Amino acid sequence: MKNEYTELIIDYLQGSLTKEETELFYTWVNENTSNKELFFEIKAMYDAGLAVGKSLDIAESWQRLLDEKNRSPHKSNIWLRVVSYAAAVIVAVAASSAYFLFINETDNGMYSRYIGGDGLEADVVELPDGTHVSLGSKTTFHYDKDFGKDKRIVYLEGEAYFEVTKQKNKPFVVKTKEQDIEVLGTKFNVMAYPLDSLVITTLLDGSVRLTTQNIAKPTILKPDQQFVYNRNTQSAYLYKVDAEQFISWTAGYYYFHEQSLKAILARLSHVYGVQFAVNSGALNNRTFTGTFYRGQSIKDIMEIINLSIPVKYKIDDRRVTISEK
C-alpha cells in the first residue's frame, strides 16, 4: 500500500475530509483498479472493527499484511489474506442462520434437506461420506435415502461450494435443473439459482464432468476453469479464472473482478434478498472491480459502487432503484 494514502482513506471513512480533500480522494480512487481494490480492502478492515464495537489500527494492520505479502511467493493471493484477517474480526459477531430440516423417508424419497441462511459466513453441511458443502443464501440442498449406496447424488437450487471426499467406486453427482456435475473427489463451486439466467460451475481442484441440457457433448473441467451456461440462449462458455476468488463468499466476502453492474446486482440480490431495478441499459453494462462483505448494508454497497460508477439510487424497503447520475 502507498502509505501516504492511508490517512486519506481513513479520514474519508470517518467522514472528516474537507471538500478539497474529498475531491482529491475521489480523483485518486478512480485513477486505476489497484487504488479501488486498495480502498475496498481498507474499508473491509475498518468496517470489521466497527462490527465488534471498536476501531482497528488500520496502518499497523496493513503493514503486517504488507510484510506477509513480501514474504509470500503467492502475491496474487494477497487479497485472500486480507479477507482472512477481516473475517477473523467479524467472526465474533457472525451467527449461522441456516434452517436444517431433517426429513425421514417420504413418498418422494427425500431424506435430508437443508436451506442456506443469511449469516455473515456460509452454513456448512457435512454429508454422511464426510463431504463438506457450504451453502449460499436462499439455497436449497438435499439428498435422498439412497445416498452412498451406488452413487452419491445430491440436488441443488442456489449456490454451494463442495469439498468432496474421494470414494473411487461411488461417484459424487450434483444435480441442478439443467445440469449433472459428476466427480470422484474435488473442490468446486456451483451457482444455479432457479430464476438466474446463468448457471456457473467453477473448479478449484480435481476434475468434473458436466452433462448439460441442450449441450451435445459433456464438458471436462480442469482447475481454474469456469463453465457458464446461459439458460436463455442455451449456450455455454468456458473461461480461465482464479477459482479461489469464487469461493470467498463462504467467508462472507464477495469479490468481483471487472464484472458488469448487472451481474453484480444479480449476485447481491440473492445475498440480501432485495430486488434491483436499473433504469439504464448503459449502466447495466458498466464494469466494476472490488470486494464486498456480507456485514455491509445495501446503502454502504451502493456508496462503494458510486465511487466507481456514478449512480443515483433510492432504497425502498426491499427494492433498490438505480439510475444515471
Side-chain angles (χ1 to χ4, degrees), residues 27 51 57 61 124-125 143 169 184 211 320 322:
T27 298
D57 187 334
S61 301
V124 180
V125 175
Y143 60 91
N169 298 321
L184 291 175
T211 303
V320 181
I322 302 170

Side-chain angles (χ1 to χ4, degrees), residues 79-90:
W79 74 272
L80 283 174
R81 291 188 287 279
V82 175
V83 165
S84 300
Y85 174 83
V89 180
I90 292 174

Side-chain angles (χ1 to χ4, degrees), residues 109-261:
M110 185 182 297
Y111 186 70
S112 291
R113 181 170 182 253
Y114 306 85
I115 301 176
D118 294 321
L120 293 182
E121 298 187 12
D123 299 304
V124 180
V125 175
E126 183 173 352
L127 303 187
D129 66 342
T131 291
H132 287 180
V133 184
S134 300
L135 301 181
S137 298
K138 311 297 188 298
T139 290
T140 301
F141 173 84
H142 77 271
Y143 60 91
D144 60 30
K145 63 184 179 63
D146 293 324
F147 180 91
K149 289 185 177 179
D150 297 313
K151 290 187 177 182
R152 296 171 289 164
I153 299 176
V154 299
Y155 302 84
L156 175 70
E157 287 188 357
E159 182 168 19
Y161 167 60
F162 296 84
E163 293 189 352
V164 179
T165 299
K166 291 184 178 180
Q167 290 188 3
K168 186 176 181 180
N169 298 321
K170 295 181 180 180
F172 190 98
V173 180
V174 180
K175 287 183 173 288
T176 68
K177 185 177 180 181
E178 295 87 3
Q179 199 171 69
D180 285 1
I181 304 166
E182 183 175 349
V183 305
L184 291 175
T186 192
K187 298 178 182 180
F188 62 101
N189 194 81
V190 181
M191 187 164 66
Y193 283 98
L195 300 181
D196 281 4
S197 60
L198 301 180
V199 178
I200 302 173
T201 304
T202 309
L203 181 65
L204 281 83
D205 183 60
S207 65
V208 298
R209 179 173 61 201
L210 297 91
T211 303
T212 307
Q213 193 176 93
N214 302 308
I215 302 297
K217 296 181 179 179
T219 303
I220 305 295
L221 286 191
K222 298 177 181 179
D224 285 329
Q225 285 188 332
Q226 184 178 80
F227 183 87
V228 180
Y229 175 71
N230 190 312
R231 287 166 166 159
N232 296 335
T233 63
Q234 297 183 356
S235 58
Y237 303 91
L238 191 63
Y239 298 100
K240 179 72 174 178
V241 298
D242 179 356
E244 296 260 0
Q245 295 175 357
F246 292 87
I247 65 164
S248 62
W249 65 268
T250 62
Y253 284 78
Y254 296 81
Y255 177 79
F256 301 97
H257 179 69
E258 295 183 2
Q259 292 195 32
S260 70
L261 182 62

Side-chain angles (χ1 to χ4, degrees), residues 40-57:
F40 300 136
E41 290 163 353
I42 290 290
K43 188 177 190 306
M45 287 189 288
Y46 178 84
D47 289 344
L50 294 181
V52 293
K54 62 181 181 181
S55 60
L56 295 172
D57 187 334

